[in-house]
C-alpha cells in the first residue's frame, strides 16, 4: 500500500482539483489518496463557501480516500505554520509522498530553494528585517530576500510557490525526510487537455460567480457534478453560501464588546493593531469597507483577514501558543473515508501515536479543539433551525464515500 | 426653586407617564421635574423599544425638565441597587422629593415598612435564607419574610411596591434624608378621569401591540402624540423597534465564543449558571426558547434576562464591582433638558461634586462608562448606515426640548 498526501481547501471543489487527484495518483504511484483539508475557515482568512462536511463528500466522491481536518491553529496561519500543520498531519497518517500544485511543476527548484534557505536562514531573516525597516511590505521584503540569497528559479510572488516552498522546507526536516515531495504543474484558466474538455478556473473567480449569480452555466462549466451536488445540497439545507460579509454584523458586535486590552489578547492582534481596529470600527459599513479602512502597507489583506477570523472566533494568543508550540499536531480529525481509506486506517492505526477523532461525542469535546468552536461560529449566521441541523454533523461523522449526497 | 425627581424607563412613554408628571408636580409643588431614566437596557433585562434619545425627547415634550441617564451598573440590577443608583443620581442633582407610582398611593405604609425592615434587617435576611434553603423561589421567600416581620399593608407581590419600598428604604439613609418620598396611585387599565379620556394601559401590553401589529388604533389610544412622534421617527431612522429576539443571534454567537470560565467572569453568571447556559445554547431556537430551557425555580425570568444582557454587553464582575461599590454614582449623564432645566442646572451645578457629562466627546470616552458600550451594542442589530447615524447622537447631545422631533 502506498499513500500520497494532498494539502487542500476545496473552496469549492472544482475541475482543477479533479486533475490534482488524478495527477497525484499517476505521479506517486499511490493507491491511497489522503487529503488534509482546512475546516470552517481557510488559510486566506475566509469562511469556506460550504461546510467541511459537504466539501468532504465532494472529495470522497472524486477519488480521495481519506479526508482529515487541518486543526484550526495551523489552518489560519501564514505559509510556514500552515505547512508544518499540514505536513505533520499527513506524516502522522503515514503518507509516502505529498503532491502539491506549483507554477512550473518541477520539484527540484523547491528542493534546491529549501536547501538554500536552510543554509542561509540567518542572512535571509536579516535581509527581510532590513527591508521591512525601510518600509517595504512583507511580500516585497521577502521577495527581495529570496533574490539576494539566490533563489531565482521560483517566482516567489505566486502564493502557490510560497506554499510549495514551505511544504518542501518542512519535509526536509528530519522527522519528515521519508516523505517525498512531488509537484504537478497548475493548469490555468484554459482548456484542460483531456477527453472531456472542462474549464479550469481559479477558486476565487468561481466563488465570485457563485455569490453574485449562483450556479450559472459559467459556474457549472468549472465544477464537476460531485461538487455541484454538494453546493446545491448545502444551499438547500443552510439557505446560504458562506462569505465574510454575512459575518460582518457579528464581527462588528464582537469588537464593540471588547476593550482594547481584551482585543490585544486575541491571536495576531499585535503591534497596537487593537487601536486601529477600535478606531475604524464605528464607521465601517461592511467587511470590505473595514478592511479598506484598516489596511496599511505593513499588513497584507490575508494577514488582516486571518486576524478578523481570530477575533470572530475569540481565539486568544494563549490558546494558540499552547497548540502551535508542540512537536506535532494534537490529534487527527477524520472527516471522511472511502472503503479503501477505512481499510488503510484499520491497518495503519497501530502506528499512530495521537488520538484519531472520528466524531465529537458530547462528553469528548474539550476546549483544546478550537476547530469545534470555529465550526460552531461558522454556522452562527444561519437560522437557528438550520444551524442545529448542520451542527449535528459533528456528532454523526465520519462520512463514508457511499453516503450520498 | 423646588425640584421633584422621578425614576422612569418610558418604554415607551404613555398616558400613565403624562399623569405621573402632572400628579408629581401637584403633589410636590415643584416647578422643576427631573427624571432619571434607564438608558439602552432596562431593569427587567430588556432592550428599550426605542433609544434613550428618542425617549428623552418624548419626556421633554411632556413636561419633564431634565433627563439623566441611570448608569448601566445600577440600571440592570434588582430593586435594591437600582433604587440606590436612581435615588443617588437624583440626590446629586439636588431634588427635594421623589415621587413614585404605587398600588395604594400612600407614602406612609412604605415609610413604616422601610423602618421595620431597618430594625429587623437580620431577622428578615435569615427568614429569606431559610425559605430559599427550603426550595422556595426568591419572590416566594421574600414574601414570606415580609409577612413574618409584620409588613401587611403593602402587597409585596407587586413589582411597583417592591421598587417603591426600595426607594423609600434608600431615602431613609442619612445621605438622602432631606429628600421627601411621595407616591401617587397607579391608574390601571381603565379610563383616566380627565377632560380628555385616554386609555391607560401597561407598558408591557403596549409594547406587545406595537411589536405585533404596529401603531394601531389600539396602540394610539394609549400613547400621547409626543410619544407617537418619537416612535415613528425612530422607526423611520432605525427601521425597527427593539426587542430581545433581534439580539438572539448575537447573544447566541457570544456564548458560542466563550469558554465556561469566561462566562463565569460575567456579572451575575453565578452558582454554576455557566454550565446551564452552555448546555442549553446549542438547541435554543429563539430567545424565548432559551429562557424556557434555562429557567429554574431559583431564578426569576428578569434575573435571567438581566444576566443575558450582561453577557450580550460582555460586562464582567470586575467592571461592575468597581462601580457599584462606591459611595455615589460616578457621574451624571445629562441626556436632555428644557429651558427651565438648563437654568436650574446652571444655578445648581456648583453644588454637584461628580462630573456632568453632556455628550461624549471622542477623547473623553473612558472605559468606566459601561453605558456607552451598552448603547453601542444596543444599536448593533441595525444596518451599518443606520447604526452610524444613531450612534452620532451620543456626541451631539444634550437634547433641548425645543429640538423637535
Amino acid at each position: 500500500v502506498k499513500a500520497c498526501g494532498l494539502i487542500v481547501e476545496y473552496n469549492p471543489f472544482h475541475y482543477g482539483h479533479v486533475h490534482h487527484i488524478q495527477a497525484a495518483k499517476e505521479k506517486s504511484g499511490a493507491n491511497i489518496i489522503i487529503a488534509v483539508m482546512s475546516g470552517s475557515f481557510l488559510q486566506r482568512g475566509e469562511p469556506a463557501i460550504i461546510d467541511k462536511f459537504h466539501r468532504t463528500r465532494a472529495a470522497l466522491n472524486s477519488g480521495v480516500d481519506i479526508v482529515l481536518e487541518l486543526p484550526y491553529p495551523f489552518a489560519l496561519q501564514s505559509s510556514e505554520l500552515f505547512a508544518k500543520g499540514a505536513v505533520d498531519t499527513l506524516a502522522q497518517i503515514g503518507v509516502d509522498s505529498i503532491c502539491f500544485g506549483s507554477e512550473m511543476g518541477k520539484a527540484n527548484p523547491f528542493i534546491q530553494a529549501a536547501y538554500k534557505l536552510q543554509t542561509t536562514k540567518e542572512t535571509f531573516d536579516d535581509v527581510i528585517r532590513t527591508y521591512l525597516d525601510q518600509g517595504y511590505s512583507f511580500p516585497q521584503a521577502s521577495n527581495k530576500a529570496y533574490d539576494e540569497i539566490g533563489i531565482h528559479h521560483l517566482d516567489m510572488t505566486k502564493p502557490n510557490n510560497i506554499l510549495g516552498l514551505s511544504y518542501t522546507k518542512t519535509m526536509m526536516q528530519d522527522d519528515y525526510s521519508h516523505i517525498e515531495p512531488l509537484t504537478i504543474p497548475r493548469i490555468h484558466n484554459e482548456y484542460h487537455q483531456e477527453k472531456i474538455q472542462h474549464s479550469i478556473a481559479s477558486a476565487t473567480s468561481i466563488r465570485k460567480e457563485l455569490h453574485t449569480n449562483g450556479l450559472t452555466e459559467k459556474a457549472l462549466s468549472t465544477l464537476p457534478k460531485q461538487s455541484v451536488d454538494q453546493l446545491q445540497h448545502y444551499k438547500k439545507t443552510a439557505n446560504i453560501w458562506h462569505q465574510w460579509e454575512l459575518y460582518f454584523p457579528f464581527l462588528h458586535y464582537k469588537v464593540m464588546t471588547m476593550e482594547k486590552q481584551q482585543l490585544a489578547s486575541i491571536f495576531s492582534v499585535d503591534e497596537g493593531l487593537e487601536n486601529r481596529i477600535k478606531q475604524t470600527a464605528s464607521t465601517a459599513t461592511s467587511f470590505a469597507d473595514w478592511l479598506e479602512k484598516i489596511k496599511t502597507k505593513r499588513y497584507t489583506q490575508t494577514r488582516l483577514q486571518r486576524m478578523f477570523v481570530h477575533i470572530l472566533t475569540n481565539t486568544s494568543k494563549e490558546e494558540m501558543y499552547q497548540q502551535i508550540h508542540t512537536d506535532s499536531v494534537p490529534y487527527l480529525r477524520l472527516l471522511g473515508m472511502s472503503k479503501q481509506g477505512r481499510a488503510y486506517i484499520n491497518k495503519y492505526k497501530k502506528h499512530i501515536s495521537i488520538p484519531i477523532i472520528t466524531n465529537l461525542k458530547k462528553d469528548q469535546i474539550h476546549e483544546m479543539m478550537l476547530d469545534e468552536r470555529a465550526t460552531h461560529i461558522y454556522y452562527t449566521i444561519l437560522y437557528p433551525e438550520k444551524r442545529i441541523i448542520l451542527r449535528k454533523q459533528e456528532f454523526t461523522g465520519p462520512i463514508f464515500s457511499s453516503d450520498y449526497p
Side-chain angles (χ1 to χ4, degrees), chain A:
Chain A
V1 189
K2 240 177 128 181
C4 177
L6 314 182
I7 299 165
V8 304
E9 302 209 303
Y10 294 158
N11 186 39
F13 190 88
H14 59 61
Y15 278 120
H17 300 126
V18 175
H19 169 72
H20 182 206
I21 295 165
Q22 290 168 346
K25 272 193 178 165
E26 284 164 28
K27 192 129 194 169
S28 66
N31 35 13
I32 294 286
I33 294 289
I34 303 177
V36 56
M37 184 178 81
S38 306
S40 302
F41 294 91
L42 309 179
Q43 202 250 338
R44 291 173 54 84
E46 289 171 341
I49 188 167
I50 59 175
D51 76 9
K52 57 191 182 187
F53 304 105
H54 285 73
R55 276 146 56 230
T56 294
R57 278 198 199 91
L60 293 176
N61 294 331
S62 306
V64 174
D65 295 297
I66 295 171
V67 181
L68 299 166
E69 182 174 355
L70 179 60
Y72 179 95
F74 296 95
L76 275 283
Q77 294 282 4
S78 58
S79 62
E80 203 104 340
L81 273 166
F82 179 86
K84 158 88 177 151
V87 170
D88 191 58
T89 299
L90 292 172
Q92 298 285 344
I93 194 94
V95 299
D96 304 285
S97 60
I98 292 176
C99 180
F100 55 90
S102 64
E103 301 308 317
M104 287 206 299
K106 296 202 168 85
N108 233 4
F110 287 99
I111 296 168
Q112 282 179 9
Y115 181 76
K116 245 180 205 154
L117 272 174
Q118 227 174 25
T119 52
T120 59
K121 173 127 188 63
E122 282 175 30
T123 324
F124 183 78
D125 290 348
D126 280 349
V127 175
I128 285 192
R129 220 169 293 125
T130 310
Y131 282 113
L132 280 178
D133 290 345
Q134 287 174 24
Y136 286 92
S137 71
F138 187 82
Q140 289 168 333
S142 61
N143 259 324
K144 285 184 172 281
Y146 284 125
D147 212 48
E148 292 202 10
I149 63 164
I151 298 181
H152 307 295
H153 296 296
L154 288 177
D155 178 356
M156 294 307 288
T157 62
K158 303 280 185 190
N160 270 286
N161 283 348
I162 296 174
L163 280 170
L165 181 55
S166 292
Y167 303 150
T168 312
K169 269 163 63 189
T170 309
M171 280 186 265
M172 284 178 72
Q173 292 170 18
D174 282 350
D175 287 350
Y176 311 121
S177 57
H178 60 285
I179 302 174
E180 191 186 4
L182 302 174
T183 184
I184 54 157
R186 265 168 58 90
I187 298 172
H188 290 285
N189 225 345
E190 63 204 17
Y191 281 97
H192 183 191
Q193 304 306 321
E194 290 204 1
K195 276 169 213 151
I196 309 157
Q197 305 247 313
H198 300 305
S199 176
I200 296 201
S202 74
T204 309
S205 67
I206 297 173
R207 285 196 302 277
K208 202 179 159 198
E209 179 68 13
L210 288 172
H211 285 308
T212 317
N213 304 313
L215 275 167
T216 54
E217 280 298 310
K218 191 174 154 196
L220 287 170
S221 75
T222 65
L223 299 166
K225 179 175 184 307
Q226 306 90 297
S227 186
V228 174
D229 286 346
Q230 297 305 321
L231 281 161
Q232 285 176 327
H233 185 265
Y234 193 81
K235 187 73 162 259
K236 221 175 75 187
T237 316
N239 264 17
I240 53 153
W241 289 325
H242 295 245
Q243 56 176 318
W244 242 125
E245 291 299 349
L246 298 174
Y247 293 88
F248 171 67
F250 295 92
L251 177 68
H252 184 268
Y253 159 72
K254 186 76 173 77
V255 167
M256 285 298 125
T257 63
M258 297 173 95
E259 298 300 341
K260 275 183 195 170
Q261 78 274 22
Q262 283 179 298
L263 260 178
S265 76
I266 296 293
F267 183 74
S268 80
V269 178
D270 299 320
E271 304 168 328
L273 268 172
E274 66 273 18
N275 297 309
R276 284 188 76 78
I277 297 168
K278 274 287 188 187
Q279 277 159 19
T280 49
S282 45
T283 56
T285 55
S286 67
F287 183 71
D289 182 50
W290 204 349
L291 270 184
E292 192 56 38
K293 287 194 161 96
I294 211 169
K295 81 170 181 206
T296 66
K297 212 162 53 180
R298 193 163 187 85
Y299 301 108
T300 60
Q301 179 172 333
T302 50
R303 163 78 174 75
L304 293 171
Q305 291 193 158
R306 281 195 294 263
M307 177 191 77
F308 276 131
V309 173
H310 297 311
I311 294 172
L312 187 74
T313 58
N314 203 33
T315 304
S316 69
K317 292 183 164 97
E318 203 189 326
E319 286 172 312
M320 287 289 264
Y321 293 155
Q322 273 174 17
Q323 296 202 28
I324 298 169
H325 292 154
T326 51
D327 282 340
S328 81
V329 293
Y331 50 82
L332 292 178
R333 175 76 203 276
L334 181 60
L335 290 176
M337 51 194 169
S338 68
K339 214 173 134 187
Q340 294 91 320
R342 176 149 54 170
Y344 174 88
I345 287 175
N346 282 337
K347 211 170 143 187
Y348 191 77
K349 72 181 167 201
K350 60 179 176 287
H351 302 293
I352 301 174
S353 56
I354 55 176
I356 303 180
I357 296 171
T358 52
N359 65 53
L360 303 179
K361 293 177 195 78
K362 275 194 178 144
D363 54 352
Q364 203 192 44
I365 300 171
H366 29 75
E367 304 194 346
M368 176 174 101
M369 294 192 67
L370 300 182
D371 320 293
E372 201 256 322
R373 198 164 80 206
T375 299
H376 243 328
I377 288 158
Y378 177 78
Y379 292 133
T380 219
I381 54 173
L382 307 183
Y383 287 118
E385 294 76 10
K386 309 276 182 187
R387 168 166 56 69
I388 290 167
I389 291 169
L390 285 161
R391 164 95 180 123
K392 280 192 186 136
Q393 299 171 103
E394 290 267 35
F395 300 95
T396 52
I399 294 159
F400 291 101
S401 55
S402 55
D403 300 347
Y404 203 81

